[in-house]
Amino acid sequence: MDQQIFHMLSPYLREYARERKLKIAIGDSTCGNSAALLAHKNIDIGAYCCPPAASDRLPGLRFHTLGIAAVALVVHPDNPVSSLSLDIARKIFQGDIHRWSGVVSSDGVAGPDRPIQTIGRLHCKLRPGHWRLLLDNEDLFSPGLLEVGTIPDMVSQVAANPDAIGHISPWFASHYYRDKGEVKILRLEGVSPYDVDALLEGRYPVYKTFSLTTWTETPAAHPEAQGVVRAMLQAVSQLDPSLGIVPASHLRKAGWKFNGDELVGGPAP
Amino acid sequence: MRVLRRIPLTIKTMVLVIIVGIAVWVGRDIVESRKMQAVFQEELRSRLETQTVKARIRFDRYVKASFQLAKLLVGQERFWDYLRTPLWDTGNQDEVLHYRRPPPWYPPNSVVRAFPMARFSLLFDLSHRLREVYSSHASPVPPDLLQPTRLKRRLGRHQGYTTLVGHVPYLISTVGAVDREGRLHATLMLATPIDDEFLVASQGIFSSKYPLALLSANPPLVLASTDPKTLPLGTRTDALRDNYMIAGDAFFDYGDSELVSRIAMLVPRSELSALESAVVTFDRKGNAATAALFVFALALIILWIMYRIRRLSDWVTNLARTALGVNKAANVRGGDELMALRERFQILTQEVVLGQDAMRLKHEMERNAKQLDVLKRVTGELGVGVVLRGDDGTSHWMNAQMEAFIRECGRDNFFPAPDEESDTIELQDIRGQQRVFRLNRLSLFCPMDVLLLQDVTELEAKRRALEYQALHDPLTGLPNRILLYDRLKQAIHRAKRESIPFSMLMIDLNGFKEVNDTWGHAVGDEVLQKVAARLPTCVRASDTVCRLGGDEFAVVLPEGDLDRARIVAKKLQKAFEQPFLVAQGVQVKLGASIGVVGYPAHGTDAETLLKHGDLAMYSAKRQRREYEVYAPSTAGSDQR
């Protein structure tokens, strides 16, 4: 189970298991780990933080979108820049803009005359969405991009380097890995990644999609697992707003496109 | 010192423990702090050296990877495809083509990111003429790179190396594009300034708390640093030593490089001091905590021991109170707990000893009482008064007989009389009768003695009667011969002692035989009694008149010489002039023959005097004289 989903849903899962006297084994892991275990049919339910890639769509496997959460751009706290347009952000990560002095913040503040160090965690490269909403291909990112392997590395590197800019879920930066260092969360297109209403209305352009999977065909299909997923789909609506999650039910109401339980497109213009 | 003794032992011991604890801690702290500082500095230096070595190794790999990127670029298919395009063959060979985005002969960004970022990629043709330049940062190409006369000479050497371009150190990698036949088609040169950005990038995601710097050996300058604010380019290394501890002294070069440099980690000495202080403080707190814990544990032990001592002390007090009835132990004041305990033990010991003595005395008294009871009963049967008398004359005990004596005779007649020498007490009882008691003293070798009183009144009377009978003539009541001897000896002793003479008269009645023959022995006895009554009237009371037997009498004059004896003899003769009237009306006329002897003229012992008296008396009888004083010739003695 993806780290953020694990922390979101594990209390509800334990409560669900206690009420129904079920034994549910929950693992704190990654999308890639879920995909590998699902491929071997070792688990009943997988959890993803990204929309599924074609290779994830195994026969009999059904995706249920839990909701979406913004992906924030973060810089060192000393960096005067606090807001970027999506275009500027893309140019920075592409390497077309090399120095902060070449960056004009949305609120008109210019950056210092320092080189820009882009930092990326280009995980789940096969899966659409998330960072790929910023630049759809890893080759589009600057050759000078410093790739980190973990979320805490992203936080600590941005927090340590005044020239850095990276991307991360705001909940990780401001809550879960706050001990790794302090970073500054930028507004994108003038919108805060904490603004769930803006996210719901499609005004925040970079976000990640959380999904659970169930098996629909025997022998892997398990009725209890389907019950768990249904319960978790309902539980998402009860999550603490500080987690920045927009539940799938809200997305449906806002006109986002679904195929069954799976989110397949943004809101209608 | 007295004040110190009065302070409770708990407080004294606690204060001592705290003082010793603090002294030990302070002493240990001084030594340990110095040791800790030395160890800390050594450890920090060692760790910094290790980190610096790791940083240098990362930097070294990063530098070497640049040459690998150059080889990768030249070896990829798209590079050769580009060399085969008309653009390369027919391009304007006099103009340098500048790219702001990756040129067509560049691999994808995702591949390039795996290598050190080449700031400038320069492509030369066969003639070593610069044809194309790609600046990854869109920064202007330094003129020295655009006219790389010096660098050009190295183009054919296909190597990676560091060199100075202008005054800036550069990493240069040159690789020739050589086809399978060995023909050179172009030469690629990647040039990257080794600046702050390069140094940071070389460390990847590694971030050190302390700044890293690339230092040139000669001149000793900072070439690049991860903290340009505090370590700007061109700072002299020797000027840094005052403010920084510099770790990492291994110099290195790369390729045919004229640049010798080293990677160093610099720790501000202020921070080092703060760290040292923090570590020492932490260690000091640890030591203090240990010392406090030690003192606390010791205090607990002391309190426990003190508690046990107080319990023991209370136990001693209670024991003294309950078992011995002594409250003194509870009232011990002054001194600490141990002193109080010692004093209470002393009191207890004294009381135990006294108690033992008292017990022993009690047992003895009980035993004595039993013995006295037995004694009382036994002595009660004996009829002897028994008194236990102290050396002060006080009677402590007496038996019933003694109590009876006191009732009959009065206490004052018996007590006090501890020092009297007499063994006989003669007194009158309350009825006025004369009583005689015999007193015996038994010493008990103790402050008491035993008085034994025996009522010997009757016995004494009998004794005296017997004595009287033994010494007196039963017919006349006059002293007999035995008593005469005794009185005579006494007179001799006295005469010898006082050198005075005395005398004795021996008297024999004349005509007494006829009385007996005429009127019988009864009249004779009566006549003798009358004679015996008349003789004492002729002498003093101190003189002794004796009947020697039959009709012989003797008179001892202890204070009379011969002259007085003669006078007494004449008085006696005169006394015989009157007849003796007996009961039947018979008048008896008797005469007397008197022999006189004197001491010491006629003898110095009783036998001699008696013998000479007899001789003188018989001489007087033979010669019918009134008296005769003894003379050695007897007959020739003084005669009348």
Side-chain angles (χ1 to χ4, degrees):
Chain A
M1 190 173 275
D2 170 78
Q3 289 178 54
Q4 195 166 353
I5 301 177
F6 176 85
H7 289 288
M8 285 191 310
L9 297 184
S10 56
Y12 295 96
L13 279 169
R14 291 193 182 94
E15 179 66 18
Y16 183 86
R18 191 181 62 78
E19 286 177 354
R20 287 164 178 72
K21 297 179 180 174
L22 297 175
K23 287 185 179 176
I24 302 177
I26 316 168
D28 182 5
S29 184
T30 63
C31 297
N33 196 226
S34 289
L37 292 171
L38 284 168
H40 291 90
K41 291 188 168 59
N42 285 344
I43 54 175
D44 295 310
I45 301 170
Y48 288 81
C49 64
C50 321
S55 57
D56 294 328
R57 297 187 182 281
L58 301 172
L61 189 69
R62 187 178 168 188
F63 283 82
H64 310 267
T65 301
L66 289 167
I68 63 173
V71 173
L73 299 182
V74 291
V75 295
H76 191 274
D78 293 345
N79 197 322
V81 174
S82 57
S83 178
L84 292 174
S85 67
L86 181 61
D87 183 53
I88 294 289
R90 282 174 172 159
K91 284 181 178 173
I92 287 172
F93 279 95
Q94 279 178 311
D96 292 341
I97 297 176
H98 299 280
R99 299 188 76 80
W100 283 107
S101 53
V103 175
V104 178
S105 178
S106 301
D107 48 13
V109 176
D113 186 19
R114 293 285 305 164
I116 297 174
Q117 175 62 60
T118 52
I119 300 175
R121 180 171 169 258
L122 306 182
H123 62 106
C124 299
K125 291 175 182 175
L126 298 176
R127 298 183 183 92
H130 58 104
W131 56 265
R132 287 179 62 178
L133 294 174
L134 186 63
L135 289 170
D136 190 38
N137 189 317
E138 63 172 330
D139 286 331
L140 296 177
F141 283 84
S142 164
L145 178 84
L146 174 64
E147 276 200 68
V148 294
T150 66
I151 298 170
D153 282 351
M154 172 65 80
V155 177
S156 60
Q157 285 301 298
V158 175
N161 190 342
D163 302 331
I165 181 170
H167 58 88
I168 191 174
S169 292
W171 179 75
F172 280 128
S174 58
H175 289 85
Y176 198 62
Y177 289 119
R178 196 171 181 176
D179 62 318
K180 300 298 178 185
E182 188 182 354
V183 298
K184 180 178 176 180
I185 294 175
L186 300 180
R187 290 195 304 278
L188 196 57
E189 297 291 0
V191 176
S192 165
Y194 292 115
D195 187 347
V196 290
D197 293 334
L199 180 61
L200 180 65
E201 292 164 6
R203 288 190 286 119
Y204 193 87
V206 186
Y207 56 89
K208 60 204 295 188
T209 306
F210 299 110
S211 303
L212 296 179
T213 67
T214 54
W215 296 101
T216 57
E217 295 177 1
T218 53
H222 197 300
E224 292 288 358
Q226 291 168 356
V228 169
V229 170
R230 278 196 298 275
M232 294 306 107
L233 286 171
Q234 292 177 355
V236 172
S237 304
Q238 303 165 17
L239 288 175
D240 183 351
S242 67
L243 291 169
I245 306 292
V246 178
S249 58
H250 294 194
L251 294 172
R252 280 181 194 277
K253 289 177 187 172
W256 289 58
K257 293 173 188 170
F258 279 81
N259 180 7
D261 280 348
E262 185 179 343
L263 178 68
V264 294
Chain B
M1 208 59 185
R2 282 183 182 174
V3 173
L4 195 62
R5 282 182 185 170
R6 285 179 185 168
I7 297 173
L9 191 63
T10 309
I11 293 174
K12 283 190 286 192
T13 318
M14 296 280 266
V15 168
L16 184 65
V17 165
I18 289 170
I19 290 171
V20 171
I22 289 173
V24 170
W25 174 66
V26 168
R28 190 167 176 269
D29 183 64
I30 292 169
V31 176
E32 288 289 317
S33 296
R34 288 176 184 165
K35 197 187 294 180
M36 180 60 71
Q37 280 178 323
V39 169
F40 171 77
Q41 286 186 1
E42 183 60 33
E43 179 64 23
L44 183 65
R45 183 177 290 280
S46 172
R47 290 190 180 192
L48 290 175
E49 285 290 344
T50 303
Q51 284 189 29
T52 309
V53 168
K54 288 178 180 176
R56 181 167 52 75
I57 290 170
R58 281 193 292 272
F59 182 81
D60 191 46
R61 285 179 181 168
Y62 195 71
V63 167
K64 287 174 179 172
S66 176
F67 184 61
Q68 302 307 319
L69 175 63
K71 288 203 292 185
L72 175 75
L73 286 171
V74 173
Q76 62 174 336
E77 191 63 33
R78 66 169 66 185
F79 185 86
W80 286 98
D81 289 346
Y82 180 76
L83 292 184
R84 287 192 283 270
T85 58
L87 184 63
W88 176 257
D89 287 336
T90 61
N92 188 344
Q93 298 180 352
D94 294 328
E95 264 188 40
V96 177
L97 181 61
H98 288 265
Y99 293 98
R100 289 194 171 273
R101 297 184 65 82
W105 40 270
Y106 237 64
N109 285 349
S110 58
V111 174
V112 176
R113 277 200 297 275
F115 296 90
M117 181 67 184
R119 188 77 58 86
F120 305 105
S121 301
L122 298 89
L123 194 58
F124 296 88
D125 62 14
L126 280 174
S127 310
H128 290 176
R129 191 169 63 240
L130 179 62
R131 293 277 302 278
E132 296 184 7
V133 174
Y134 164 51
S135 173
S136 64
H137 281 31
S139 50
V141 182
D144 286 343
L145 282 179
L146 292 174
Q147 300 295 331
T149 308
R150 182 169 58 85
L151 299 177
K152 274 183 182 176
R153 288 200 293 270
R154 292 187 177 183
L155 282 176
R157 299 176 71 170
H158 298 180
Q159 63 163 337
Y161 60 97
T162 54
T163 187
L164 287 172
V165 176
H167 296 290
V168 179
Y170 264 74
L171 172 63
I172 305 291
S173 298
T174 57
V175 175
V178 181
D179 64 15
R180 291 177 180 173
E181 285 75 30
R183 289 175 299 183
L184 179 72
H185 293 266
T187 300
L188 176 67
M189 181 171 74
L190 302 181
T192 303
I194 303 177
D195 54 11
D196 302 339
E197 192 178 346
F198 184 90
L199 186 59
V200 171
S202 73
Q203 298 303 307
I205 64 166
F206 166 80
S207 62
S208 170
K209 183 179 178 183
Y210 304 112
L212 280 174
L214 182 68
L215 307 177
S216 66
N218 191 19
L221 296 173
V222 174
L223 297 175
S225 81
T226 57
D227 187 4
K229 282 184 182 173
T230 54
L231 296 169
L233 179 70
T235 307
R236 287 195 66 85
T237 308
D238 44 9
L240 294 173
R241 294 194 180 280
D242 292 339
N243 297 324
Y244 291 91
M245 184 180 83
I246 302 176
D249 53 4
F251 286 92
F252 68 95
D253 56 13
Y254 178 61
D256 297 341
S257 173
E258 71 272 29
L259 185 66
V260 177
S261 58
R262 61 172 171 139
I263 293 286
M265 187 173 284
L266 293 92
V267 182
R269 291 200 181 276
S270 58
E271 210 163 318
L272 189 65
S273 299
L275 271 175
E276 276 181 12
S277 176
V279 169
V280 169
T281 303
F282 181 77
D283 184 62
R284 188 169 287 164
K285 285 178 180 175
N287 287 340
T290 305
L293 195 63
F294 167 76
V295 169
F296 179 69
L298 213 52
L300 282 181
I301 293 170
I302 288 166
L303 285 175
W304 181 74
I305 292 171
M306 289 301 109
Y307 169 73
R308 297 304 299 265
I309 287 175
R310 277 196 290 274
R311 286 282 306 272
L312 181 60
S313 192
D314 292 343
W315 182 83
V316 170
T317 304
N318 288 335
L319 180 67
R321 184 187 298 123
T322 56
L324 303 173
V326 175
N327 280 325
K328 278 193 295 182
N331 299 324
V332 170
R333 294 286 182 271
D336 55 30
E337 292 89 336
L338 279 179
M339 289 183 180
L341 180 60
R342 188 185 65 189
E343 285 190 28
R344 283 173 178 152
F345 263 119
Q346 284 177 343
I347 291 170
L348 183 65
T349 306
Q350 289 168 359
E351 293 301 328
V352 166
V353 170
L354 288 174
Q356 283 179 337
D357 290 345
M359 291 288 284
R360 191 165 52 244
L361 193 60
K362 185 182 175 187
H363 289 153
E364 285 180 6
M365 287 176 71
E366 287 174 355
R367 190 172 65 245
N368 291 342
K370 288 178 183 175
Q371 292 173 348
L372 285 172
D373 188 48
V374 173
L375 185 64
K376 197 171 184 177
R377 281 186 281 157
V378 172
T379 55
E381 298 297 325
L382 292 174
V384 175
V386 180
V387 179
L388 285 180
R389 190 178 60 173
D391 52 1
D392 58 350
T394 308
S395 61
H396 295 287
W397 179 84
M398 60 184 66
N399 65 352
Q401 186 60 62
M402 188 64 210
E403 290 170 354
F405 289 162
I406 290 174
R407 280 196 301 275
E408 293 168 4
C409 303
R411 184 182 184 85
D412 294 341
N413 288 320
F414 298 106
F415 307 107
D419 299 324
E420 292 177 359
E421 294 294 329
S422 174
D423 290 339
T424 303
I425 301 173
E426 291 189 25
L427 48 85
Q428 278 190 334
D429 63 16
I430 54 177
R431 291 172 297 188
Q433 291 181 344
Q434 196 69 19
R435 302 281 292 270
V436 179
F437 294 90
R438 181 171 296 154
L439 176 63
N440 287 313
R441 292 185 181 83
L442 298 176
S443 176
L444 297 178
F445 301 103
C446 68
M448 284 197 291
D449 55 7
V450 180
L451 301 181
L452 300 174
L453 279 109
Q454 188 178 7
D455 187 356
V456 295
T457 303
E458 291 181 11
L459 193 64
E460 186 67 13
K462 288 177 182 175
R463 185 189 69 75
R464 288 180 183 177
L466 286 174
E467 187 180 66
Y468 186 83
Q469 288 172 6
L471 298 176
H472 290 79
D473 175 43
L475 179 63
T476 62
L478 290 175
N480 61 10
R481 181 179 291 273
I482 296 170
L483 187 55
L484 174 67
Y485 264 93
D486 182 64
R487 298 285 170 83
L488 194 55
K489 285 177 182 175
Q490 285 182 13
I492 292 170
H493 282 308
R494 185 183 173 204
K496 283 182 179 176
R497 187 169 63 244
E498 297 178 4
S499 299
I500 55 172
F502 74 91
S503 56
M504 182 176 71
L505 293 84
M506 301 292 284
I507 304 166
D508 186 75
L509 299 180
N510 299 327
F512 181 70
K513 186 172 179 306
E514 290 79 10
V515 173
N516 272 342
D517 292 344
T518 304
W519 288 293
H521 285 287
V523 173
D525 287 343
E526 190 174 353
V527 169
L528 285 174
Q529 287 174 340
K530 297 288 183 183
V531 171
R534 190 171 295 175
L535 288 178
T537 61
C538 302
V539 296
R540 299 175 185 170
S542 57
D543 300 336
T544 302
V545 179
C546 306
R547 181 190 174 213
L548 299 179
D551 57 352
E552 285 188 25
F553 294 87
V555 177
V556 178
L557 306 175
E559 296 175 352
D561 55 8
L562 286 173
D563 291 339
R564 182 168 176 262
R566 288 185 188 96
I567 295 169
V568 171
K570 288 175 181 174
K571 280 186 177 179
L572 288 173
Q573 287 297 345
K574 190 167 178 95
F576 278 96
E577 289 177 358
Q578 295 293 322
F580 295 95
L581 183 63
V582 296
Q584 291 125 353
V586 177
Q587 288 190 349
V588 177
K589 180 73 170 102
L590 293 175
S593 298
I594 301 171
V596 178
V597 288
Y599 175 91
H602 304 137
T604 56
D605 56 77
E607 289 77 14
T608 305
L609 289 171
L610 284 170
K611 180 181 169 186
H612 289 173
D614 274 343
L615 291 173
M617 180 189 74
Y618 285 116
S619 175
K621 187 175 278 289
R622 275 191 311 268
Q623 298 178 32
R624 298 191 180 272
R625 292 179 182 168
E626 290 179 343
Y627 71 90
E628 178 136 348
V629 178
Y630 173 76
S633 60
T634 308
S637 61
D638 187 10
Q639 300 168 12
R640 292 284 181 267

